[in-house]
Amino acid sequence: MTADFLFDRPRKPAGLFGKSFSIALLLAGYSALCWLAFSESLRNWEKVWSYRETFWNGWLTTVQISAAALVLSSLIGGATALARRSNFLPLRYTAIAYVETVRGLPLMVLVLFGFYGVANALGWQDRVSAGIVILSLFSGAYIAEMIRSGIESVGRSQWDSARAIGLTPTQTYRFVVFPQVLRQILPPLAGQFSSLIKDSSLLYIIGIPELTFAANQVNSATYSTFESFVPLGICYLLLTLPVSLWTKRLEKKTRYET
Amino acid sequence: MKISLRRIAKSYGGQCVFRSLDFNVEFEHTLALVGPSGGGKSTLLRLLAGLELPDSGEIRIDGDLIPSDESGLRAHRQKLGVVFQAYNLFPHLTALQNIRLPLEQVHRLSAQEADSRAKQFLARFQLLNHAGKQPAQLSGGQRQRVAIARALAVDPTFLLLDEPTSALDPEMTAEVLDVIAELRTSEKPIILVTHEIGFARHTADLVALVADGGIPECSPATEFFDQPQHATTRRFLQRVLKY
């Protein structure tokens, strides 16, 4: 006997029954795993529930930080990608040094060094704005590399055609290069945004009251570790899953031949 | 149209294409540049198009010197139409948008004017039904026809075509060559780099052989093919007409 209905083959695609059966199987396994892990420990919901406002405020801060860093890191990434292609050597080398340094260091080191080292020396006391800038600088380095490789993948003939019809360099970037780059890097970019949301959790080490900070606080106050961190995980998934699903859709939509 | 090159030198990374090229030519409709690969045809065309600068020497077109500064070169490029071998069109734009882009952004036509002008040229090449398609949805021949339409729509003083059919199969080649042959009757002079020897003979007023960094022969098409004066030309024709 073969469970033929569980296979999805090019010649014989799976039917609705096979798909729903597989999903049911997965959910059952997943639930069993959660049961094993948490059934003994998830008992202290009342206490944690009384801290719901702490969670809510932390979640809001995380959303705000992520949204601001998302915009700022895109700007930094775009500017750095252009700087890396600049003819002006000091600018090009600065961009290279920035990208390589940031990509070579753990985020935790950057957060600590950035806040207690640089921001303190500058007299920058506001933790949230400093956190946003540090996170954006971190993410911006990765985005810069995506944009750079996107620009480099635009063929020589496209630059030639743009020059031949008389476009200026700025117009060439705006009308010819960036639209093609954007389509190409949207999927990895969306993945980077999802990472950025998760990476914002490290900002708790400089005392920003975001989601992870909130969960830690609730944990110390209630001694209910799992009851504090399970909601934490769910809250992050609520942010990252939509981004991930959106990415999948983009990948389908932006596929085009050249 | 009159072209004059004086002591043109051009090399790419140590590879010398022209050492000291002198060339003067006057023609009415079509000048075809033929010759072996690597002989300098495309380089010559890119110099005329203002896409490359010569290392030294000067180029005059109808008496006007091609400038050597970037903004002057851009002004020069805006006055002419260029079609390359392939990938002329911008893949993220539709056929219509491809033609509108230079009209609006370079030649400052209003959106409405650009739209009607672009449609007029699409209609001329029987492409109006494909106006909303992106290049990937068009055949190779259609793509090249859109590229020719885009080059013509800006009302250029002349057209430069760099092997416009070399990436196409024979049927599509014929489709594009028909268009080019038809252009001959229009008012724009054409400079055409081509491997289509038969076509050059059929449509060009003048044919020039570009080989080994020089132009050993340039004569009216019938003369060029029937009584070639130069040994290099005879050898080249022998090779390409062998089969």
Side-chain angles (χ1 to χ4, degrees):
Chain A
M1 189 205 104
T2 54
D4 212 32
F5 64 99
L6 287 179
F7 288 87
D8 185 34
R9 298 189 173 99
R11 276 196 186 179
K12 194 166 162 268
L16 187 64
F17 177 68
K19 283 182 183 166
S20 21
F21 186 83
S22 304
I23 292 173
L25 209 63
L26 171 77
L27 285 178
Y30 204 58
S31 313
L33 195 69
C34 289
W35 179 256
L36 269 174
F38 303 124
S39 61
E40 289 303 309
S41 45
L42 288 179
R43 289 166 186 274
N44 215 354
W45 288 117
E46 295 82 16
K47 256 199 212 160
V48 173
W49 179 245
S50 61
Y51 283 91
R52 61 191 178 279
E53 205 163 316
T54 313
F55 268 112
W56 174 244
N57 289 335
W59 191 76
L60 277 185
T61 309
T62 290
V63 171
Q64 282 161 2
I65 290 176
S66 303
L70 201 134
V71 175
L72 188 57
S73 62
S74 302
L75 294 175
I76 293 174
T80 308
L82 289 180
R84 258 197 102 148
R85 294 176 59 83
S86 167
N87 294 329
F88 183 55
L89 281 180
L91 190 62
R92 189 194 299 172
Y93 289 163
T94 307
I96 293 175
Y98 155 62
V99 167
E100 295 308 325
T101 313
V102 167
R103 292 203 312 162
L105 287 174
L107 177 57
M108 173 153 354
V109 174
L110 282 173
V111 171
L112 288 174
F113 178 74
F115 185 69
Y116 293 111
V118 181
N120 258 5
L122 295 173
W124 189 342
Q125 298 300 331
D126 182 42
R127 284 161 196 267
V128 173
S129 61
I132 289 171
V133 170
I134 292 168
L135 193 59
S136 303
L137 284 171
F138 177 72
S139 192
Y142 289 87
I143 293 174
E145 281 299 275
M146 288 175 201
I147 296 179
R148 183 180 67 93
S149 73
I151 293 175
E152 278 167 13
S153 75
V154 173
R156 193 181 111 110
S157 56
Q158 292 285 304
W159 298 90
D160 267 352
S161 291
R163 288 176 71 214
I165 62 173
L167 294 180
T168 64
T170 315
Q171 287 176 324
T172 303
Y173 273 107
R174 181 168 158 210
F175 297 110
V176 177
V177 177
F178 274 140
Q180 295 187 51
V181 168
L182 196 65
R183 287 196 185 197
Q184 196 159 358
I185 69 167
L186 264 179
L189 196 62
Q192 178 63 31
F193 288 155
S194 171
S195 296
L196 184 147
I197 295 170
K198 292 180 291 173
D199 289 340
S200 73
S201 64
L202 261 178
L203 292 178
Y204 92 93
I205 59 176
I206 56 169
I208 293 177
E210 45 71 71
L211 192 54
T212 307
F213 187 88
N216 263 315
Q217 238 181 349
V218 176
N219 178 29
S220 337
T222 62
Y223 302 108
S224 315
T225 311
F226 282 122
E227 289 88 337
S228 310
F229 285 102
V230 167
L232 174 72
I234 292 170
C235 285
Y236 277 112
L237 281 175
L238 281 179
L239 290 175
T240 53
L241 275 184
V243 173
S244 173
L245 290 176
W246 177 61
T247 315
K248 291 272 171 344
R249 275 195 45 193
L250 281 180
E251 276 176 30
K252 271 192 196 142
K253 226 174 103 184
T254 61
R255 223 176 276 151
Y256 74 107
E257 298 158 59
T258 47
Chain B
M1 132 168 230
K2 228 166 100 180
I3 294 172
S4 99
L5 282 75
R6 216 168 65 86
R7 311 186 69 166
I8 292 295
K10 178 72 186 170
S11 54
Y12 294 100
Q15 187 92 11
C16 180
V17 185
F18 300 122
R19 188 156 287 126
S20 178
L21 178 65
D22 287 293
F23 181 51
N24 291 290
V25 68
E26 196 169 350
F27 64 97
E28 199 179 348
H29 295 301
T30 309
L31 166 68
L33 304 174
V34 301
S37 295
K41 304 185 296 287
S42 288
T43 303
L44 179 57
L45 192 115
R46 292 177 68 86
L47 288 168
L48 293 172
L51 289 166
E52 307 274 353
L53 276 175
D55 302 332
S56 63
E58 56 176 47
I59 304 173
R60 285 176 191 277
I61 292 173
D62 289 330
D64 297 330
L65 193 67
I66 295 184
S68 56
D69 62 301
E70 186 51 34
S71 67
L73 273 177
R74 197 178 310 126
H76 169 73
R77 294 196 289 260
Q78 289 172 1
K79 285 187 301 194
L80 45 92
V82 185
V83 177
F84 301 103
Q85 283 183 32
Y87 309 116
N88 287 283
L89 302 179
F90 304 124
H92 58 294
L93 301 178
T94 63
L96 182 68
Q97 290 168 330
N98 261 288
I99 301 177
R100 284 181 56 166
L101 180 66
L103 292 174
E104 283 178 60
Q105 299 304 328
V106 180
H107 299 273
R108 297 290 161 200
L109 265 64
S110 72
Q112 218 171 8
E113 285 171 313
D115 193 71
S116 71
R117 173 96 70 98
K119 283 184 176 148
Q120 174 197 330
F121 276 86
L122 283 171
R124 176 171 165 192
F125 297 119
Q126 286 88 46
L127 289 162
L128 207 49
N129 289 337
H130 305 292
K133 290 186 185 168
Q134 291 189 338
Q137 297 166 294
L138 298 170
S139 75
Q142 288 167 340
R143 266 177 251 168
Q144 288 304 69
R145 276 153 57 208
V146 174
I148 293 172
R150 182 175 71 186
L152 275 177
V154 302
D155 194 24
T157 49
F158 63 100
L159 275 178
L160 293 166
L161 310 178
D162 188 3
E163 300 183 23
T165 60
S166 67
L168 302 178
D169 68 31
E171 205 172 330
M172 291 178 185
T173 299
E175 165 191 330
V176 172
L177 292 183
D178 281 344
V179 168
I180 299 171
E182 186 219 304
L183 293 184
R184 193 186 188 288
T185 55
S186 76
E187 56 297 351
K188 311 288 176 207
I190 299 174
I191 300 173
L192 167 74
V193 169
T194 187
H195 288 301
E196 302 289 335
I197 296 299
F199 182 73
R201 178 181 197 143
H202 187 72
T203 11
D205 312 328
L206 282 179
V207 181
L209 178 78
V210 186
D212 307 325
I215 301 180
E217 181 148 2
C218 177
S219 51
T222 43
E223 249 174 71
F224 184 92
F225 290 104
D226 296 339
Q227 299 133 16
Q229 299 298 308
H230 205 280
T232 320
T233 317
R234 284 197 289 273
R235 269 202 307 277
F236 172 71
L237 287 176
Q238 244 166 30
R239 268 202 308 276
V240 295
L241 297 174
K242 191 169 169 189
Y243 296 106

